[in-house]
Every structure is written in C-alpha cells, then in structure tokens.
Amino acid sequence: MTSPADPPAGARPNGLTYAQAGVDIDAGNALVEAIKPAVRSTRRPGADGEIGGFGGLFDLKAAGFSDPVLVAANDGVGTKLKLAIEAGIHESVGIDLVAMCVNDLVVQGAEPLFFLDYFATARLDVATAATVIAGIAEGCRRARCALIGGETAEMPGIYATGDYDLAGFAVGAAERGRLLPAADLAEGDVLLGLASSGVHSNGFSLIRKIVEVSGARLDARAPFAADRSLARALLEPTRIYVRPLLAALRETGAIKAMAHITGGGFVDNVPRALPKHLAARIDLGAVAVPGVFAWIARIGGVGEREMLRTFNCGIGMVLVVGAGAAAAVTSVLEREGEIVCRLGALETRSGEPVVFDGKLNL
C-alpha cells in the first residue's frame, strides 16, 4: 500500500520541475520587478496602481470624462519582429506595438487611456523582455496613456529559441457625440496627409523577402540612410500621432474623419473613414516619398499599385477637414511637430473609393 507521499507507479524517483520543462517562474517574477520603474513612468490621471495584480484599474471620472464612450483596439507588430530578432535590436518594437493600437483609437476621436501588452516566448530572457517593455513604456508616454498591466508567457515548443511575439491592447474614450467620422462629410472637403517616420509596421514579410533575394546585409549601411545600418533604418518605429491630433481636435473642432494608413495602404484604409457615396481623390505628386520606399520599389521590382496597397509610402495618417478649416488644422499640427501636405479632396463617388492622380516619386 502506498502513502500520499509515494510517487505514482512509473514516475521518475526525483520528479521533474516546471523549470526543467522550460518555464522559469523566477525569471517571470524578476521581469516584473525589472519593469516597474518603466511602468510607473506612464502613470496619468485615472491610473495610479502598481502592476502585479490580477487586473489593471482605471478611473474614468479621475481622467476627467463625464459621459464617455469607450473605444478599444488591439494589434501586433507582425514580422517586423523577425527582423528585430535577427538584428538583435529590441528597443523600438515596443513603440511600434503601442503606435499600432493608439493610432487606431485617435482616428475615431478617442483619447487613449490605458494599454496592456502580451509578450510570448520560448524561454524568457529577462534582459530582452525588459528592453522590449521599456519600448512599450516609451510608446505609452508618447501617447499619454498608462501601461496598467500585461502578460508574459513562456511556451517552449510553440516558439523557437530566441523568438518572441507581441500583442497590444489599448482602450480610449471620447465624450458621447464626439466620435469620428462625423456625419457631415461632403464633396469638396480637403484631404490632409501627415508624414510617416518610414515603413512603420506593415509589409515586412515583403521587405524581408527583398532583403533575402537581394543579399542585402542588415548590418551594412542603409543605401537610403547614410547614418544608420539597414536594420536600424528599417526598424525606425511607427510614428505616434496622438498628441498632435488631439490638440487639433480640441483646438479647432474641424477634423471630420481620419484614416490610419497601415497594411492596405491608401487603397484599403482611406475608404474606412468615408461614407459609400464619397470618394477620395489623391494627388500622388503631393506625397514626399521617403527613400526607403524608393529602395523597396527598385530592389524588389515592386510596382506602384502594389506599393500603394502594401505600404504607407510616406503618409501615416490622412485627415478630412472642411475646405475653410484646412489652414487652421494645418497650423496646429505643424506647431505640434507634424509635416502636413494637402493630398486632395472628396468627390462624389462614381467608381473606386480612392482615385489617384499623378505618380509616386519612386
């Protein structure tokens, strides 16, 4: 007869531990302690708690809202992570993670309030994870939203050694009646474009394929950026437009709609902000195309139409404003550090929702 202390029949006499199976609880606890200063740096009214509990708390009343509608978004960084891992550059992908979520909130007129992250890996490297999460905290500071929690998962057998994946979740709010797009979009409204910081976080499966077939070295000088390696130039983080756009919304009240230009480019993203009876006519000659896109098109032999529906091509955000308000909106955005161009206007739709004039300067 066996006692409760006896191992089951056929069991190893000394037993196995969770750590031997590839999951290190102590490393997870060490990471939580390591990132606490970065997390504290993202505090804002409404979010004052410490991480480490079972859930993050946010007080909407303390944040100054009276009748809010909540807006939520989630996203990842895609295969840009693979390039970051191959290059050993982990500082900026956390900014990308936040940007991809909060930019989707602000285009609906919402102020980002808080953010949660999910970091999954085969075996937790505390130093790498802390670097990534420091980038997430930096993104949150840029967006003025609080990092109130997250999850770290070790999953040996799911991920290869050294690989990791990220997911982000953001919640924002707008006072009832102030969500975008507005109901008064009309023919003649002006399209304004805000410059991107580069590729942002879309199209990296194609970029990595171009790097592979061209034999380009990630550690070599970037052909389009003499001061950086190709890896660092391609990993330039996604621009976070939250502060300038919130300033323009609050000071002018004149922005009618916005589109975050991510995967799908102009072709798929601009129509998401428009009613079915209106089309956007865009002058491609007005776009200042960064050198990275010319390099992609030339080295990869990528045609203009493919560029327009895969990449932002130099415009990370498109705004719709009344013709009489374009100058005022532009003035606020430029004061806040944005590069603004007049892209075109809305017209009555008779065919495609986006009509292009001219050509990209590739």
Side-chain angles (χ1 to χ4, degrees):
M1 182 175 178
T2 61
S3 70
D6 292 332
R12 290 169 58 94
N14 297 320
L16 281 171
T17 66
Y18 209 6
Q20 288 170 325
V23 179
D24 189 342
I25 294 173
D26 291 335
N29 292 334
L31 176 62
V32 170
E33 291 303 313
I35 65 175
K36 279 185 176 180
V39 173
R40 289 191 195 105
S41 73
T42 71
R43 285 178 172 174
R44 52 152 294 157
D48 296 314
E50 285 279 351
I51 61 166
F54 288 99
L57 305 177
F58 193 91
D59 185 343
L60 281 167
K61 187 174 181 180
F65 288 89
S66 58
D67 186 19
V69 175
L70 295 179
V71 183
N74 70 295
D75 212 333
V77 183
T79 59
K80 188 174 188 176
L81 284 179
K82 189 66 175 175
L83 192 149
I85 291 166
E86 290 171 357
I89 300 172
H90 308 286
E91 305 94 280
S92 59
V93 289
I95 300 173
D96 288 300
L97 185 67
V98 176
M100 295 301 289
C101 296
V102 297
N103 285 342
D104 279 354
L105 295 182
V106 75
V107 297
Q108 296 177 86
E111 174 188 346
L113 302 175
F114 60 86
F115 189 86
L116 300 99
D117 69 277
Y118 175 75
F119 182 101
T121 187
R123 188 175 185 87
L124 184 60
D125 181 305
V126 174
T128 297
T131 299
V132 171
I133 295 170
I136 293 172
E138 172 60 24
C140 288
R141 289 192 294 272
R142 294 183 186 185
R144 290 181 179 158
C145 68
L147 178 57
I148 65 170
E151 174 69 10
T152 302
E154 283 188 289
M155 294 189 285
I158 298 292
Y159 296 97
T161 300
D163 283 351
Y164 61 86
D165 197 10
L166 297 174
F169 309 85
V171 174
E175 294 292 356
R176 196 175 303 276
R178 296 184 185 175
L179 290 170
L180 299 179
D184 61 344
L185 291 165
E187 184 172 10
D189 285 346
V190 170
L191 298 170
L192 299 177
L194 304 188
S196 68
S197 57
V199 181
H200 286 183
S201 297
N202 302 102
F204 273 85
S205 293
L206 176 56
I207 289 171
R208 289 173 50 247
K209 188 67 175 178
I210 290 170
V211 170
E212 177 189 342
V213 299
S214 69
R217 288 178 47 189
L218 292 176
D219 60 351
R221 180 178 62 83
F224 50 87
D227 61 331
R228 289 173 290 171
S229 68
L230 178 60
R232 288 197 177 276
L234 291 173
L235 289 170
E236 180 69 27
T238 305
R239 188 163 182 81
I240 293 176
Y241 298 97
V242 169
R243 293 190 189 189
L245 289 176
L246 289 178
L249 282 167
R250 290 163 179 167
E251 292 182 34
T252 71
I255 298 176
K256 296 184 176 186
M258 293 185 268
H260 183 201
I261 308 304
T262 56
F266 293 112
V267 176
D268 291 341
N269 287 293
V270 172
R272 296 167 68 182
L274 304 179
K276 298 296 184 184
H277 69 284
L278 291 174
R281 182 171 290 276
I282 293 176
D283 176 12
L284 295 178
V287 178
V289 182
V292 61
F293 297 109
W295 177 81
I296 290 169
R298 183 178 70 255
I299 299 300
V302 183
E304 182 180 83
R305 180 70 180 184
E306 186 70 13
M307 293 293 295
L308 286 168
R309 71 168 308 173
T310 304
F311 301 106
N312 67 64
C313 297
I315 299 294
M317 193 73 69
V318 173
L319 282 56
V320 182
V321 302
V329 173
T330 297
S331 177
V332 173
L333 292 169
E334 289 180 339
R335 183 199 73 204
E336 295 294 317
E338 296 301 318
I339 299 173
V340 186
C341 69
R342 188 160 175 155
L343 285 175
L346 297 186
E347 61 183 29
T348 299
R349 180 175 174 179
S350 58
E352 294 296 321
V354 182
V355 181
F356 296 108
D357 292 329
K359 297 183 72 64
L360 287 174
N361 182 19
L362 294 171

